[in-house]
């Protein structure tokens, strides 16, 4: 089992506006919250500690140094960030190299097979940008994890509407090709979408949420689904 936890997005107080009142990524918050997570999880170490959302109020050097010291002390194995701009990620990684401490090695960002509408507003939870994909593609030690990959079931279920950020004239054709490939492979559209993430460049490790063992097994079957070059071409150009 791999344990991961995040820090920085909790609103203070809890009923305060978010993300404006997010606790941020100061040294004090990072150290206090990892101790609280260790206590709740009943462990003395976590595998991945994520900076949940950006914090431009705190000097980046302070954040990078605090995270790096947790790795050096053995409390955390790997560092990640989520909902960050590509340039901020690279800036943080460069600072980590300058300070001689561990830096971010994974990024968790919103990602799905459908393409967002140009200018779509995702607030503090942005969709993976072309710049981020290029960044990960050029950095072999940087892994991209995608959340909201199945859009709450909208890729397979007729009763689930596509989120408005993806509702534009290009979506019906992309959904049509997804269903065609699924039919040809004897799979579900969401299995094809998950396999597409794994076959893409850069590959994206999907973060999935399920409410039953059957759903989990259904999603895991995507790992063994082989997409040929023709399938990928059609899926990518739809």
């Amino acid at each position: 089992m791999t344990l991961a936890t995040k820090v920085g997005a909790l609103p203070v107080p809890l009923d305060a506006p978010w993300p404006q009142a997010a606790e941020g990524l100061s040294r004090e918050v990072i150290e206090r919250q990892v101790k609280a997570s260790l206590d709740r999880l009943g462990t003395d170490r976590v595998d991945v500690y994520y900076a949940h959302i950006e914090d431009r109020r705190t000097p980046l050097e302070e954040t990078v140094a605090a995270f790096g010291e947790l790795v050096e002390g053995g409390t955390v194995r790997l560092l990640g960030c989520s909902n960050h701009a590509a340039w901020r990620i690279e800036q943080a990684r460069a600072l980590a190299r300058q300070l001689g401490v561990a830096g971010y090695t994974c990024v968790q960002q919103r990602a799905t097979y459908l393409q967002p509408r140009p200018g779509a507003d995702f607030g503090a939870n942005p969709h993976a940008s072309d710049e981020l994909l290029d960044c990960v593609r050029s950095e072999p030690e940087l892994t991209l994890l995608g959340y909201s990959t199945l859009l709450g079931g909208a890729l397979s279920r007729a009763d689930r509407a596509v989120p408005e950020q993806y509702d534009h004239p290009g979506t019906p054709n992309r959904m049509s090709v997804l269903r065609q490939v699924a039919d040809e492979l004897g799979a579900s559209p969401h299995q094809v979408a998950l396999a597409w993430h794994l076959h893409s460049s850069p590959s994206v490790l999907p973060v999935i949420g399920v409410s039953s063992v059957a759903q989990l097994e259904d999603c895991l079957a995507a790992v063994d689904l082989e997409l040929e070059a023709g399938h990928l071409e059609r899926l990518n150009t739809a």
Side-chain angles (χ1 to χ4, degrees):
M1 180 178 291
T2 298
L3 291 176
T5 188
K6 294 182 177 181
V7 63
L10 188 72
V12 181
L14 291 177
D15 59 352
W18 189 89
Q20 296 89 336
E23 62 186 345
L25 297 169
S26 67
R27 175 184 294 276
E28 187 276 330
V29 168
I30 290 171
E31 294 177 349
R32 170 168 48 83
Q33 291 291 25
V34 77
K35 291 176 182 176
S37 289
L38 294 174
D39 183 59
R40 286 191 293 268
L41 292 168
T43 183
D44 58 2
R45 185 170 183 255
V46 292
D47 295 291
V48 188
Y49 197 28
Y50 285 100
H52 197 155
I53 60 174
E54 282 195 40
D55 173 17
R56 300 195 183 183
R57 299 167 299 181
T58 301
L60 192 56
E61 294 87 345
E62 178 180 341
T63 298
V64 169
F67 274 126
E69 288 167 13
L70 290 177
V71 174
E72 185 176 356
T75 302
V76 175
R77 186 167 67 90
L78 296 173
L79 298 170
C81 60
S82 183
N83 305 306
H84 279 53
W87 69 269
R88 288 280 289 184
I89 297 169
E90 280 307 296
Q91 190 177 53
R93 282 162 50 79
L95 275 171
R97 289 191 292 270
Q98 291 175 18
L99 296 173
V101 299
Y104 300 140
T105 57
C106 57
V107 184
Q108 188 179 138
Q109 207 88 338
R110 184 189 301 273
T112 187
Y113 171 67
L114 297 184
Q115 297 174 333
R117 185 182 67 251
D121 183 12
F122 290 97
N125 306 101
H127 192 278
S129 65
D130 290 339
E131 289 80 5
L132 179 59
L133 296 177
D134 284 342
C135 177
V136 174
R137 195 178 292 116
S138 65
E139 296 284 355
E141 71 277 17
L142 198 57
T143 299
L144 179 60
L145 298 93
Y147 68 85
S148 294
T149 51
L150 301 180
L151 298 178
L155 297 184
S156 290
R157 294 176 52 174
D159 63 327
R160 297 294 177 92
V162 171
E164 60 92 13
Q165 293 97 333
Y166 302 95
D167 187 8
H168 57 81
T171 292
N173 189 49
R174 204 158 171 86
M175 287 289 289
S176 176
V177 172
L178 182 67
R179 295 188 186 104
Q180 290 171 19
V181 172
D183 288 342
E184 293 168 14
L185 295 176
S188 64
H190 66 260
Q191 286 174 332
V192 173
L194 292 173
W196 174 81
H197 283 297
L198 297 173
H199 285 77
S200 293
S201 177
S203 60
V204 179
L205 299 182
V207 178
I208 57 174
V210 300
S211 56
S212 70
V213 173
Q215 288 181 356
L216 177 61
E217 292 175 342
D218 188 53
C219 288
L220 290 177
V223 174
D224 298 318
L225 190 62
E226 290 294 330
L227 297 181
E228 297 179 356
H231 294 136
L232 290 170
E233 175 70 15
R234 288 160 58 195
L235 291 165
N236 289 333
T237 58

